[in-house]
Amino acid sequence: MSDITQVGVIGAGTMGNGIAQSCAVAGVDVVMVDVADTAVQRGIATIAGSFDRLIKKEKFTNDAKAQALARIKGATDYGELKSADLIIEAATENLELKLKILRQADSLAKADALMASNTSSISITTLAAATSRADRFLGMHFFNPVPLMALVELIRGLQTSEATIATAKTFAERLGKSPIVVKNSPGFVVNRILCPMINEAIFALQEGLASAEDIDNGMKQGCNHPIGPLALADLIGLDVMLAVMNVFYADFNDPKYRPAPLLKEMVAAGYLGRKTKRGFYRYD
């Protein structure tokens, strides 16, 4: 497989619709699948809103918006994935859910299609083994917000072929992304470094070392970070942060990766960050 002309994206949430938008802008036809039509329509509306903001900034045109949206087809039927050259799973960071989705998509995909997961922490080797095409399976970890962030981690599972990595690298570059190739390991490269740093910032807040604002300002001004770790946690989603730290803690079997108790409490309270309008900050 060298020429990817149609992509299937499973999941119309933040990551899924961002991936679909990036593909459409690059001239690639996309089928975006989710379990409910309301989720699909919400995803398409989010993409349209993103284009409108770019138009307002004079970085996009109405004609370009119309052309890109015409390349995106929303669906609730997995059968719509059967003609995709590449299927990217972008569902919630839950192993059992991802395995279920991948088995279903694999059974419907054409024989030579590549499959990928946008997981930020789960083993690519494990996910690949649930399909009949482990050699044509890889991780394609996009970063949020997908249309603006250049990095894509290409994660090689134990079974992933060199040809699969090469095809994915060419495709990522076609989207205007900067891919890096990473071996399979919990959190891969970026989240392996980033998430424990955010978790430590939550410990600092929990222990009363400083306010959320001062912790974030300290990292922005002292380490030249564009956004503070607690504000970044709110952007990522505290439930996603907790899921990643739980994977680290279980897979590395090392107490340094234990999730901060305050992070667990915030998730239990439903304070998940920007998406619930409350996390370490309020977003009213």
Side-chain angles (χ1 to χ4, degrees):
M1 173 67 65
S2 59
D3 188 22
I4 294 173
T5 59
Q6 185 179 109
V7 172
V9 177
I10 303 174
T14 300
M15 298 306 293
N17 67 56
I19 295 167
Q21 177 177 333
S22 295
C23 290
V25 169
V28 181
D29 291 333
V30 188
V31 177
M32 185 170 65
V33 179
D34 210 312
V35 291
D37 186 61
T38 52
V40 172
Q41 296 308 318
R42 191 183 309 119
I44 292 173
T46 299
I47 295 169
S50 176
F51 288 148
D52 288 339
R53 288 189 294 276
L54 291 171
I55 291 167
K56 190 174 290 187
K57 295 176 182 177
E58 299 184 346
K59 295 181 178 180
F60 214 59
T61 66
N62 283 304
D63 284 347
K65 172 187 173 182
Q67 290 171 18
L69 287 175
R71 296 188 188 104
I72 302 171
K73 179 180 180 180
T76 56
D77 180 6
Y78 274 53
E80 296 288 345
L81 299 170
K82 65 182 181 296
S83 58
D85 302 307
L86 168 65
I87 297 172
I88 303 172
E89 170 272 312
T92 304
E93 199 73 352
N94 177 287
L95 175 60
E96 292 307 316
L97 176 63
K98 286 183 183 293
L99 290 174
K100 179 182 177 182
I101 287 170
L102 291 171
R103 289 187 187 110
Q104 185 176 354
D106 178 56
S107 70
L108 296 167
K110 60 186 183 181
D112 63 344
L114 301 186
M115 291 186 68
S117 175
N118 182 58
T119 180
S120 56
S121 63
I122 296 171
S123 168
I124 297 303
T125 298
T126 299
L127 296 177
T131 75
S132 63
R133 63 192 77 223
D135 62 321
R136 296 191 302 283
F137 191 99
L138 77 157
M140 292 189 73
H141 180 212
F142 293 80
F143 287 76
N144 185 32
V146 179
L148 301 180
M149 298 292 280
L151 181 65
V152 179
E153 286 181 314
L154 303 180
I155 303 100
R156 186 200 315 272
L158 186 64
Q159 318 93 316
T160 309
S161 72
E162 289 296 333
T164 295
I165 292 293
T167 300
K169 185 173 186 289
T170 298
F171 179 70
E173 290 169 345
R174 179 180 172 186
L175 300 188
K177 304 300 184 184
S178 299
I180 61 172
V181 180
V182 181
K183 287 199 305 183
N184 186 55
S185 181
F188 317 126
V189 167
V190 174
N191 281 341
R192 171 79 174 270
I193 299 166
L194 176 67
C195 292
M197 183 271 289
I198 294 174
N199 193 53
E200 198 61 31
I202 299 170
F203 269 115
L205 179 65
Q206 173 185 307
E207 293 165 15
L209 297 184
S211 67
E213 291 83 357
D214 283 349
I215 290 169
D216 278 356
N217 283 333
M219 293 303 292
K220 286 192 292 183
Q221 297 178 33
C223 299
N224 204 29
H225 288 194
I227 183 172
L230 300 175
L232 181 55
D234 280 353
L235 178 63
I236 293 168
L238 302 193
D239 53 338
V240 175
M241 270 298 307
L242 180 57
V244 172
M245 292 310 300
N246 279 334
V247 168
F248 286 4
Y249 193 30
D251 288 4
F252 286 117
N253 194 28
D254 188 329
K256 76 178 182 180
Y257 294 112
R258 70 198 186 284
L262 178 58
L263 176 60
K264 294 180 180 179
E265 283 283 291
M266 297 284 281
V267 173
Y271 301 157
L272 307 183
R274 286 180 177 269
K275 59 188 169 187
T276 59
K277 301 193 182 301
R278 182 170 179 178
F280 296 111
Y281 299 92
R282 290 181 179 269
Y283 301 91
D284 300 326

